[in-house]
């Protein structure tokens, strides 16, 4: 079965969603993410949805579910890269992303996570990872 | 047409390849990457191929092509995340990745780019980007 790759970047995990999401893929992603959070001790998860042309209620629930699961494991999830048209459509449809934090792009999402978690800048983490 | 998203991370661009690559998608990726390098002045490109189960001669040529194009635009390309089985199969098939630099994962690829390009650690870039 196809899996969505999870990249470790310092204290964060990065997931770029490029394919159409269906139930089993989302379940697999949630499994993989919780495993990775447990294994790496990651403090934050960045979900990039810049290639999604639509965010419907299913995807919204899925994003909220991932955020809730990682929160229980002490990792904050930030959804980044939403296309302007997607945001407009969501508001028009009356959809919301309850419990989900969003940021404009990956860089801003990382900055947000760093300040929320009061983490040191990435260099300090790199150094510690090397030791 | 489907497009592969390109994420800007400080002075680098990150591309996670998750879908089957075909000629037109590769062409589009090369176009998008050169545009992004031009627009952002990125100094490095990280191509994550951790979800590829096979790297054949077509994909090998494609990776080499992207590396050559970005090099002409003064950006270094590093291919990261190759699965061990993929590496073994490539050697068995006598395939090589001429002109392509590889690293174990995204973090090591970024470290490699930073030291090759003698870039300051990412914090300095973040700060400058904020100004």
């Amino acid at each position: 079965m196809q899996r969505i790759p999870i990249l470790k970047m310092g204290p964060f995990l990065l997931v770029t969603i490029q394919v159409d999401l269906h139930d089993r893929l989302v379940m697999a992603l949630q499994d993989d993410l919780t495993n990775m959070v447990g294994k790496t001790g990651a403090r934050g998860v960045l979900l990039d949805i810049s290639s999604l042309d639509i965010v419907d209620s299913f995807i919204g629930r899925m994003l909220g579910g991932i955020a809730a699961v990682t929160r229980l494991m002490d990792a904050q999830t930030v959804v980044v890269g939403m296309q302007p048209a997607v945001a407009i459509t969501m508001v028009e449809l009356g959809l919301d992303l309850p419990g989900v934090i969003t940021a404009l792009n990956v860089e801003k999402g990382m900055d947000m996570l760093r300040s929320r978690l009061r983490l040191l800048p990435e260099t300090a983490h790199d150094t510690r990872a090397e030791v």
Side-chain angles (χ1 to χ4, degrees), chain A:
Chain A
M1 200 185 86
Q2 193 188 21
R3 296 240 163 198
I4 298 176
I6 300 168
L7 307 180
K8 187 174 175 299
M9 323 244 349
F12 307 130
L13 301 177
L14 173 65
V15 181
T16 315
I17 295 172
Q18 293 177 27
V19 290
D20 285 336
L21 294 163
H22 50 80
D23 290 43
R24 287 182 57 192
L25 192 59
V26 171
M27 286 295 129
L29 176 61
Q30 228 177 50
D31 273 6
D32 292 349
L33 258 179
T34 45
N35 282 336
M36 276 287 274
V37 169
K39 209 166 66 181
T40 62
R43 299 298 312 282
V45 176
L46 293 145
L47 287 177
D48 175 72
I49 59 165
S50 57
S51 61
L52 293 189
D53 289 324
I54 191 157
V55 172
D56 55 17
S57 57
F58 169 71
I59 296 178
R61 267 203 310 283
M62 178 282 286
L63 296 174
I66 287 176
V69 169
T70 57
R71 200 178 305 125
L72 289 175
M73 298 192 70
D74 194 26
Q76 184 95 54
T77 294
V78 179
V79 171
V80 302
M82 186 184 290
Q83 292 177 24
V86 171
I88 292 168
T89 311
M90 283 186 70
V91 171
E92 281 173 350
L93 293 175
L95 286 175
D96 196 8
L97 292 177
V100 176
I101 305 166
T102 51
L104 188 63
N105 54 38
V106 178
E107 286 184 317
K108 288 197 197 301
M110 280 200 178
D111 288 346
M112 187 192 279
L113 280 174
R114 282 203 197 99
S115 63
R116 267 178 180 260
L117 301 168
R118 300 212 178 79
L119 287 175
L120 298 173
E122 190 169 292
T123 11
H125 283 278
D126 281 350
T127 321
R128 276 192 283 172
E130 293 294 316
V131 174

